Amino acid sequence: MKGIFLWAAIGCCAVAVAADSPDYRLPSGVQPLSQIIELRIDPSRIDFDGATSIKLNVQQLTDRIGINQVGLTLANIALSGAEGQRTLQSTGGEWDRSWLADGEPIPPGEYTLTMEFSGEYATDALGMHRTSFEGNDYVFTQMEAMYARRAFPVFDEPSFKIPYQLILSAPDDLTVVANTPPESTDKKDGWQRVTFMPTPPLSSYLIAYAVGPLDRVAIEGISVPGHVYVPKGHAGELGFVLQQTPTIVAALEDYFGSKYPYRKLDFVAVPEFAFGAMENPGLITYRTDLLLVGDEVAGRQAINVLNVIAHEVAHIWYGDVVTMAWWDDLWLNEAFATWMANTILETVYPQYNTVLNLPQDGAFEADQLTTSRPIRRMVRTEDEIFGSVGLNYTKGHALLRMLERYVGHEVWQRAIRKYVEKFAWSNATESDLWAVVSEESGLDISKMAGDYLNQPGFASVSIDDAGAVTQTRYVREGLVAEEKLWRIPMNVKYKADGQVRQTFMLLEGPTGSLDIPSSTDWIFPDAGANGYYRWSTSLDQFYNLIDDIDELSEREKIALLDNTEAQLNAGSLSMADYLYVLKRFLQDPHPLVFLPTLRKVRVIGDEFVGDGNRGAFAVFIDQSLSERYQDVGIRGRAGDSEATLQLRPQLVRTLGQFGTDETLLAEAASIVDDYLKSPAAIQSQLAREAMRITALRDDGGRYEQYLQAYLRTASASQKSNILAAMYFDEPEVVLRHLEFSLSDDVQAGDSLAALNFFSYLLEDHSLLYEWLDDNFDRVVAKAPAYYQPVMPQVLGGSCDRENLDLLEEFFRDRDDAYATSLAKVIESDEACIARRTRHANAFEQFLKPYQDG
Ligand SMILES: [Zn+2]
């Protein structure tokens, strides 16, 4: 049906667990039907207690009931059914389960399971967690993926989609909010007891509530009531968010052809947050620095804020109303929201040029590793879910975009609407989506999608001058990986006889043939730049294309640039070819084609520049960038385009880090002084890069200035900006800041940032590992649990053999949980080291003309 989803009329509940559920899942014979959760929450205490009542359908004779909980104490467990009430005992089991039993069989039938429980709030921002902010205590929640079980006993799997009713008691001077509006409130003895309306069928990872001295501001202009809840005293910092949210919600309603489906749409700014934001229906939570951004927001910061809001609200339709059946389809959940958010930004906010952000370029980097894994794969635990979660977003987004282009926008949109309508208030899998898209389009999508989902990596497609097409798996030079094949929808642009034309080919096997004239000058095998594959042509044709580069769109140019680097890394182009293309791209007039070029120049600087060639590289940087810098300047100017606002911080950063312009450095330092006094005075991204280069060029004396400004400011976005810019490398400052990162002044979710950027900044990592030898347990205790499996990647990326040895030695025998991440770091750092060794001479040749200034 179109229009508002009438969940109440649909009844409950989807039964999606297979009869023989695997051992890490709860047994399939016991189905929860609905759950009431009562919690007594006083944020000034470290512990909480509660009670729950769960209606169950026992479908087959069993001797025990499994339920998820971790860290809770259970008491007074009772099972009431047609034959009266029984008292059950709890024993702990694997996979965060408790088994409830009394030694007698439990016959099929409907029951009510009740129990009391107590526990302590989490402090790592996951589950029901407690935080102090500006002298006030709060309790917030983050239940995805498997953290609801930290807060209450629950059937904590996404396919148990049932109505939940929350009853929250809290001191009566505090604000209490949850997924649904309150039904009633009783006050007694300084406490309030708020009974919230039951939710529609919901997966437990989407339950949310917040308790504390929250202020609120209404969001005007959306189709349901909505408010933004903020920590006390911050209601005045929401201008941009209040203004833009209705536009985003309306655009999504328009795309899906149905109204926002829950009773209310509240946002909460959470001062201690492990992720960016979380799509809890009716109560979306965000990091404070994403909501408390004030009125004037531009450049990357504006894009980030709009993108995250669009992403979370898009999840409402896919994620919340339609939910994956199990975590192996988390990729689809995230890919869908990421793709949808980008669609909204491209169509509703064209001024930000987000069409020039290519998701595949981010994905290729991780997916090219021979240790890469398929994005759809078996997962059992939190660690397995988050072990390489990043590809879910980027590769998944790139895949959906490629498929959307393949079937056509309109067919795709019709299919999405049908899919959401068909599976509303229940669960669905990726194959359900492909079935709908295939039906709408008449094309067999599921096999094609499966190639990208169930296999790691991607193809490199080569096309020779006669049009013969071959695909092999892309690997970096010198590496070997198991061969794979993909079904590849290729849009090909080529020039022949003075005319640019476009054609389509579906490559379904290892080879194919492209129908092009023998007079073809060049081929660009990724027209539109939506393909999830790399490509190469003959060197002659490649140079013809570079000479004719303005026949490509900006998006295509960016894809070409990235592909050129990939072909360098694969060994099919030389360093000289690559640097030729980089220099050519540094002349591109479009700021957002120039920008990714600049990033690649900086990567070259990071990898290839040392004491011996720093001077020559600085001359190259000054000469190549000065003209652009004259145009763009360092301070914002009235009438700056969004593209310029995005470019300026990176241009300043590159010149400041690698160039010799003393005036620029002095001006950057004065921007830092202005910003630390008054954050509103300077665009946030520019301030961040100015702080970074000022720190890089400083002897550590400014650390105190940054630190004091961080401690003093009430602005969440300034706080995180300063924390991201502590680019000091003096040993005493490094040690002091590492220690500071573990203090209560730094959020759990930010506690690893310092280790990450020190491993980028420091040439020799011995200091980091000496410190970690003494402090690793504290680091692990402070950081959100989901970071654990990726700790080696936090410290990797140095492109240095000795540092890599230190890293291997540190993690090798520590814990199996690090093995996957460690293998990835080793592979990518070794590839980087090999690339530097291989191309060092060619780079020196390139720098020769710049050696004498
Ligand atoms: Zn998401």
Side-chain angles (χ1 to χ4, degrees), residues 144 277 279 311-312 315 333-334 337-338 393:
E144 192 180 15
E279 66 267 21
H311 178 107
E312 301 312 325
H315 267 310
N333 195 24
E334 293 309 345
T338 308
Y393 292 76

Side-chain angles (χ1 to χ4, degrees), residues 625-641:
L625 307 185
S626 63
E627 199 178 318
R628 192 67 58 126
Y629 179 57
Q630 298 303 325
D631 292 348
V632 170
I634 187 165
R635 296 241 174 199
R637 298 165 180 171
D640 277 336
S641 70

Side-chain angles (χ1 to χ4, degrees), residues 375-575:
I375 56 173
R376 189 171 204 279
R377 60 174 185 273
M378 186 185 80
V379 291
R380 297 168 300 176
T381 62
E382 192 69 37
D383 282 3
E384 288 173 350
I385 291 173
F386 284 102
S388 52
V389 73
L391 269 178
N392 288 338
Y393 292 76
T394 51
K395 183 176 182 175
H397 172 197
L399 172 62
L400 294 186
R401 190 174 174 111
M402 181 168 79
L403 295 176
E404 180 194 17
R405 276 11 184 222
Y406 179 46
V407 303
H409 294 280
E410 282 169 24
V411 171
W412 182 262
Q413 184 179 6
R414 271 206 313 275
I416 295 296
R417 287 181 172 194
K418 260 198 181 162
Y419 174 69
V420 170
E421 200 178 302
K422 184 171 174 185
F423 295 99
W425 312 111
S426 69
N427 298 93
T429 65
E430 45 110 30
S431 54
D432 294 323
L433 175 61
W434 310 137
V436 178
V437 178
S438 299
E439 192 184 304
E440 281 298 309
S441 64
L443 297 162
D444 181 0
I445 292 301
S446 69
K447 279 199 189 123
M448 181 184 283
D451 289 348
Y452 296 84
L453 292 173
N454 301 319
Q455 306 191 115
F458 47 89
S460 183
V461 177
S462 78
I463 306 182
D464 75 8
D465 290 0
V469 182
T470 316
Q471 65 159 308
T472 51
R473 180 171 174 184
Y474 177 91
V475 282
R476 292 181 66 145
E477 190 173 3
L479 296 182
V480 189
E482 193 187 336
E483 268 307 329
K484 310 265 178 207
L485 285 175
W486 291 264
R487 288 168 186 81
I488 307 177
M490 292 171 60
N491 289 298
V492 181
K493 211 178 208 183
Y494 63 96
K495 188 177 190 180
D497 309 318
Q499 274 207 317
V500 177
R501 298 186 203 140
Q502 202 163 312
T503 184
F504 174 81
M505 114 168 243
L506 181 62
L507 181 61
E508 292 191 278
T511 58
S513 152
L514 185 67
D515 188 15
I516 46 164
S518 59
S519 56
T520 297
D521 292 328
W522 52 255
I523 303 167
F524 177 67
D526 184 19
N530 297 304
Y532 197 73
Y533 52 91
R534 296 298 200 181
W535 55 267
S536 63
T537 61
S538 72
L539 199 58
D540 282 350
Q541 286 210 348
F542 180 72
Y543 272 92
N544 289 346
L545 173 60
I546 298 298
D547 288 346
D548 215 3
I549 191 76
D550 289 330
E551 293 292 352
L552 300 188
S553 70
E554 271 81 34
R555 186 177 165 94
E556 291 168 341
K557 285 182 187 176
I558 292 168
L560 169 68
L561 174 67
D562 206 58
N563 190 71
T564 305
E565 188 184 25
Q567 294 309 341
L568 166 76
N569 292 339
S572 52
L573 285 175
S574 71
M575 187 68 171

Side-chain angles (χ1 to χ4, degrees), residues 735 738-739 742 767-775 779:
L735 292 174
L738 287 171
E739 201 56 41
L742 297 182
L767 183 70
L768 295 181
Y769 291 100
E770 274 164 35
W771 183 81
L772 280 171
D773 277 335
D774 296 335
N775 295 289
V779 172

Side-chain angles (χ1 to χ4, degrees), residues 576-644:
D577 297 327
Y578 179 54
L579 292 166
Y580 175 85
V581 173
L582 275 187
K583 278 186 78 170
R584 177 68 187 74
F585 269 70
L586 285 173
Q587 280 155 44
D588 197 284
H590 198 294
L592 298 182
V593 175
F594 183 82
L595 177 59
T597 314
L598 198 60
R599 292 210 178 92
K600 296 210 182 293
V601 168
R602 214 157 67 206
V603 168
I604 296 275
D606 286 335
E607 263 177 50
F608 288 87
V609 173
D611 291 340
N613 57 10
R614 203 177 308 278
F617 189 66
V619 175
F620 164 69
I621 288 290
D622 287 346
Q623 283 185 12
S624 312
L625 307 185
S626 63
E627 199 178 318
R628 192 67 58 126
Y629 179 57
Q630 298 303 325
D631 292 348
V632 170
I634 187 165
R635 296 241 174 199
R637 298 165 180 171
D640 277 336
S641 70
E642 283 296 333
T644 298

